[in-house]
Amino acid sequence: MQRLLDHLTLTPAFVVGKHLDYLAWNPLAGALLLDLDAIPRRERNYVRMLFTDPRMQDFYDDWEAMARAGVALLRMQTIDNPRDLRLAELVGELSISSPLFRQWWADRRVHVQEYGRKTINHPDLGAFTFDWDSYYWTGNPDQHVTVWSPEPGSASEDKLRILSSWIATPASRSHSAPDAKSGELPPHPAG
């Protein structure tokens, strides 16, 4: 699966498991998702990140809708896996640490969505709008692959190309944000 993800060089893609942990991703998804490589493994959970990582409120254009959907997705997982201790621990942890999670968990909503559109806000490149699709992997039905694709010819597609060039080399982590006066993006860090 990782080899497949890595071949998608201009398409952010990642795999999420039944606990909604990020299990695998390509470099572009890792760079878009607040640098997944730098986040400790235990913290790489979609719903946990929504409620415990303060950057997430700025990351999603409509954080509340994303967070509510995340709670409903997690509830669906607990319905499908009622004896899963790890899911119970995650729900307990988030219920204690987040009053909003606790409130929305009490709503008892469930959610399954396999496609949609979302806007994210990258700290250096600004807003990206993606259509996204999620596919269950027949090799392991507890896992699904999500692919984010920008509209062809859009500003989001152009920004993905820029981000891809930044992550193409080890020096990419030292890139600069767009020039505040001109709004132009800096050249590739390698020259």
Side-chain angles (χ1 to χ4, degrees):
M1 183 57 68
Q2 186 65 58
R3 187 172 50 227
L4 171 66
L5 294 175
D6 290 341
H7 281 288
L8 298 172
T9 57
L10 288 175
T11 305
F14 52 89
V15 176
V16 176
K18 74 176 179 179
H19 301 109
L20 303 179
D21 294 323
Y22 290 102
L23 302 176
W25 54 89
N26 64 9
L28 203 49
L32 277 171
L33 292 166
L34 303 176
D35 195 5
L36 280 176
D37 292 316
I39 298 171
R41 183 182 304 263
R42 182 187 185 292
E43 304 300 315
R44 288 184 204 143
N45 177 279
Y46 173 66
V47 180
R48 179 183 283 118
M49 288 173 66
L50 281 167
F51 287 94
T52 64
D53 189 329
R55 300 174 298 172
M56 295 301 276
Q57 291 199 8
D58 294 328
F59 181 72
Y60 284 111
D61 195 44
D62 187 354
W63 176 84
E64 183 174 330
M66 297 305 298
R68 285 180 179 269
V71 172
L73 279 168
L74 189 60
R75 180 170 281 289
M76 189 69 195
Q77 290 300 320
T78 61
I79 289 170
D80 290 344
N81 303 282
R83 289 181 170 71
D84 189 308
L85 293 178
R86 184 143 176 269
L87 283 170
E89 288 172 7
L90 178 60
V91 169
E93 171 194 330
L94 293 174
S95 294
I96 290 168
S97 66
S98 172
L100 277 178
F101 179 88
R102 189 170 47 250
Q103 176 187 346
W104 295 338
W105 184 261
D107 289 344
R108 299 191 177 273
R109 293 190 180 142
V110 294
H111 183 72
V112 175
Q113 188 174 353
E114 296 170 344
Y115 62 92
R117 179 171 275 214
K118 67 176 61 181
T119 299
I120 64 163
N121 298 300
H122 187 271
D124 295 328
L125 293 171
F128 285 81
T129 299
F130 295 106
D131 292 317
W132 63 272
D133 296 281
S134 218
Y135 308 95
Y136 286 94
W137 180 36
T138 58
N140 184 339
D142 285 337
Q143 298 178 7
H144 62 272
V145 179
T146 299
V147 178
W148 289 359
S149 59
E151 187 174 322
S154 68
S156 293
E157 183 180 54
D158 292 341
K159 290 181 205 178
L160 269 182
R161 289 183 194 285
I162 292 165
L163 184 59
S164 179
S165 74
W166 286 351
I167 63 175
T169 65
S172 65
R173 297 208 182 267
S174 63
H175 68 271
S176 302
D179 182 291
K181 292 179 185 174
S182 70
E184 293 182 7
L185 293 166
H188 184 277

